[in-house]
Amino acid sequence: MKTVLITGTSSGYGLETARHFHDKGWNVVATMRKPDRDLFPRSDRLRVLPLDVTDPASIAAALEAAGPLDALVNNAGIGSAGAFEVTPMAHIRKVFETNTFGVMAMTQAVIPQMRERGQGVIVNVTSSATLAPMPLVAAYTASKQAIEGFSGALAHELAAVGLRVKLVEPGLGPTTRFAANSDISVMDLIPEAYAGFAQKVFEAYGRQTLTTKESDVAESVWQAVNDMTDRLRYAAGADALALAGAA
């Protein structure tokens, strides 16, 4: 029976992806900073482990507890929106620590065990913001674009040792908590000079008819993990699919 470790499973896409893989019969290691076992059904095929992807000791402990993995899904992330002009550099660095360096750290930590067995797949969850420029998410987009480039390059070198790398690009998820784990509210990053512009942007988001559901992302991750071809990108959600078609 195959085993997947998924980061950031306390809510949203990660939570639904963990449930989806469990329903499909996999062993699931669901990780989050503050473990909540009550989010999942009781099962001997599902474990909930603490993991902070910005902490090397936490990564090592989680991987040791998880044991051999067939798939790693790097889903943990911090959402961030607002005018770049007033976004503190300390906040931007925090976004990159999780969205970019956290993904890299998890990936680097899991490669040896997969390489030794000559099999495994790493799925990095980015964003449809990488498919087309979007306003008020400049720093967030940069953190995700870095992983797009990282994954494309890494896919070539890991293919040489029998491993696969995939990208899943979710669209706008109105039912997710995009910026809930940010320590700065969106409105605190909208100064008066940008208020009129920001209002139009948020109203446009509210009118958007094509969006992404948690189940869309879970299914795309499932597809990516089980696709043995060299395909790299998987847009997830109606809006992301539309952007990918236009890209």
Side-chain angles (χ1 to χ4, degrees):
M1 190 178 299
K2 293 185 176 181
T3 300
V4 60
L5 185 149
I6 306 167
T7 69
T9 61
S10 62
S11 65
Y13 300 145
L15 175 58
E16 185 64 23
T17 300
R19 290 170 173 169
H20 188 75
F21 272 78
H22 179 262
D23 290 344
K24 292 289 189 178
W26 278 49
N27 288 321
V28 175
V29 182
T31 70
M32 58 192 79
R33 290 189 178 187
K34 298 179 179 179
D36 183 354
R37 189 64 184 79
D38 293 336
L39 292 171
F40 304 96
R42 297 293 168 179
S43 170
D44 58 4
R45 290 189 293 103
L46 195 149
R47 285 181 291 163
V48 178
L49 296 179
L51 173 61
D52 180 348
V53 300
T54 69
D55 181 349
S58 179
I59 292 173
L63 290 180
E64 181 176 1
L69 299 174
D70 298 283
L72 167 67
V73 178
N74 284 313
N75 167 80
I78 294 177
S80 179
F84 179 76
E85 178 184 339
V86 297
T87 304
M89 284 304 302
H91 178 67
I92 294 171
R93 290 189 176 94
K94 184 175 181 179
V95 170
F96 269 77
E97 281 294 334
T98 295
N99 295 3
T100 308
F101 301 127
V103 171
M104 292 180 174
M106 284 297 299
T107 299
Q108 191 172 63
V110 83
I111 288 173
Q113 60 155 285
M114 290 184 172
R115 176 180 50 74
E116 288 172 5
R117 297 196 311 277
Q119 63 180 11
V121 58
I122 297 164
V123 177
N124 296 328
V125 180
T126 58
S127 168
S128 62
T130 65
L131 300 174
M134 298 180 184
L136 302 179
V137 287
Y140 172 80
T141 300
S143 72
K144 294 294 191 176
Q145 281 283 18
I147 293 303
E148 292 268 322
F150 163 73
S151 300
L154 185 67
H156 290 293
E157 61 187 80
L158 291 192
V161 292
L163 309 184
R164 291 169 292 132
V165 177
K166 307 287 186 177
L167 282 165
V168 170
E169 300 155 329
L172 174 65
T175 57
T176 63
R177 300 182 299 166
F178 173 70
N181 55 359
S182 173
D183 53 8
I184 303 178
S185 73
V186 173
M187 297 316 299
D188 287 341
L189 297 177
I190 306 295
E192 183 60 31
Y194 294 90
F197 171 72
Q199 181 178 353
K200 292 178 181 178
V201 170
F202 296 144
E203 288 175 352
Y205 284 147
R207 293 192 301 268
Q208 192 164 324
T209 56
L210 297 179
T211 58
T212 297
K213 303 186 297 295
E214 288 88 339
S215 57
D216 295 329
V217 177
E219 182 56 42
S220 291
V221 173
W222 173 259
Q223 180 185 2
V225 164
N226 290 284
D227 186 350
M228 303 303 292
T229 73
D230 60 0
R231 177 181 173 185
L232 177 64
R233 292 181 169 83
Y234 303 75
D239 52 332
L241 287 166
L243 288 173

